[in-house]
Amino acid sequence: MRAFAIETYGEPEVLKAYDLPIPEIQEDEVLIEVENTGVSPYDWHVRRGEQEGKIDYPMPLILGWDVSGVVRKIGSKVTNVTEGMPVVATQKLNKNGGYAEFIAVNQNTVVKKPESLSFEEAATIPINGLTVYQALIKYGKLSHGDKVLIHGGAGAVGIFGIQLAKSKGAYVATTASSRNHEFLKGIGADIVIDYNTENFEDEVKDFDIVLDTQAGDTLERSYYVLRKGGRLISIRGQVDKEKAKNKGIEAYFTWTELNREDLIEVVNLYGYGEIKAYFDSIFPLTLVKEAHRFSELGHARGKIVLNNKI
Ligand SMILES: NC(=O)c1ccc[n+]([C@@H]2O[C@H](COP(=O)([O-])OP(=O)(O)OC[C@H]3O[C@@H](n4cnc5c(N)ncnc54)[C@H](OP(=O)(O)O)[C@@H]3O)[C@@H](O)[C@H]2O)c1
């Protein structure tokens, strides 16, 4: 099968076309013919070698851990999906991803694609959906009327975070450059703060939850906008537990947990609920290097998606 993979770490040029065998499936796995793959910042963090030594990757390594497609084969113990079923799936991060014609995934990381979603929309969902859902609902204990600050509102994470928080009855502030303000108000944000010209601390005080996607100075300043008992959740940088304790808040760094129940919940929110999928652009799989370069600029509005068929 055609696949784009890396054998060394580095610039986008290390992504090369390979002719690799179609993956063999285990008894609890599913073979998916991939329609679309979501490109995440994580993909190019791995490509640059930033996870080297932390995760044991097979080489050549196929990147891209969010996919949509059609089930072509199931293992003998698979009960969750059937052959021919359109699905949305994610993959364990130490396994080959979706920049390929086919991917083999465990049945616990694959769910039926709702008919209301296109394959492109479905490929935007899994990892960001799981991460944001777990950050806001499980760690953030989000409830009706909470005041929530979401950094990086116009990114793939932020767009889901704003919609999820609003759907639960929260008051939502977010940060973005000015070109995204109208769009973010359109998806429900109550206040949009221009991180280039304003300090979010001037607008946001005594909030219940902060979801940080930026780390560094943004994370550092976020401790000061929470009320006592508030929750700071970063999905980008390590938190200072001691400082959080001194301020009477909870602070967590969270990492995506591949949990099928949560995946079903999130996919259903998109398929049958009020959440809408937004993608910035679709690149042919053959232009995956360009997709990486664009993602690395850090200003995509929503997800970047690959079309694996071209
Ligand atoms: N821990 C985990 O398990 C996990 C899971 C998923 C994602 N993440 C991480 O979460 C982060 C966000 O992911 P993503 O998919 O949303 O990324 P993304 O889609 O690439 O984010 C792009 C967006 O970031 C905004 N942005 C850039 N600099 C900003 C700043 N200083 N303040 C506020 N917004 C800024 C841009 O808006 P403007 O154009 O308006 O600047 C752009 O719309 C990434 O670092 C990713 O690696 C972690």
Side-chain angles (χ1 to χ4, degrees), residues 131 152 154-157 177 179-180 195 214 235-236 254 256 298-300:
T131 311
V157 161
S177 61
R179 72 181 187 100
N180 284 316
Y195 65 85
Q214 302 298 317
I235 61 167
R236 186 75 185 102
T254 68
T256 321
H299 296 289

Side-chain angles (χ1 to χ4, degrees), residues 39-42 44-45 127-128 131-132 151-159 175-181 184 195-196 212-214 218 234-236 253-257 295-304:
V39 174
S40 299
Y42 185 76
W44 45 263
H45 288 303
I127 290 184
N128 284 334
T131 311
V132 172
H151 289 296
V157 161
I159 289 173
T175 55
S177 61
S178 56
R179 72 181 187 100
N180 284 316
H181 286 207
L184 293 172
Y195 65 85
N196 291 305
D212 168 56
T213 57
Q214 302 298 317
T218 302
S234 180
I235 61 167
R236 186 75 185 102
F253 167 74
T254 68
W255 191 249
T256 321
E257 187 197 327
S295 179
E296 285 177 274
L297 296 175
H299 296 289
R301 181 191 282 173
K303 198 88 180 163
I304 297 165

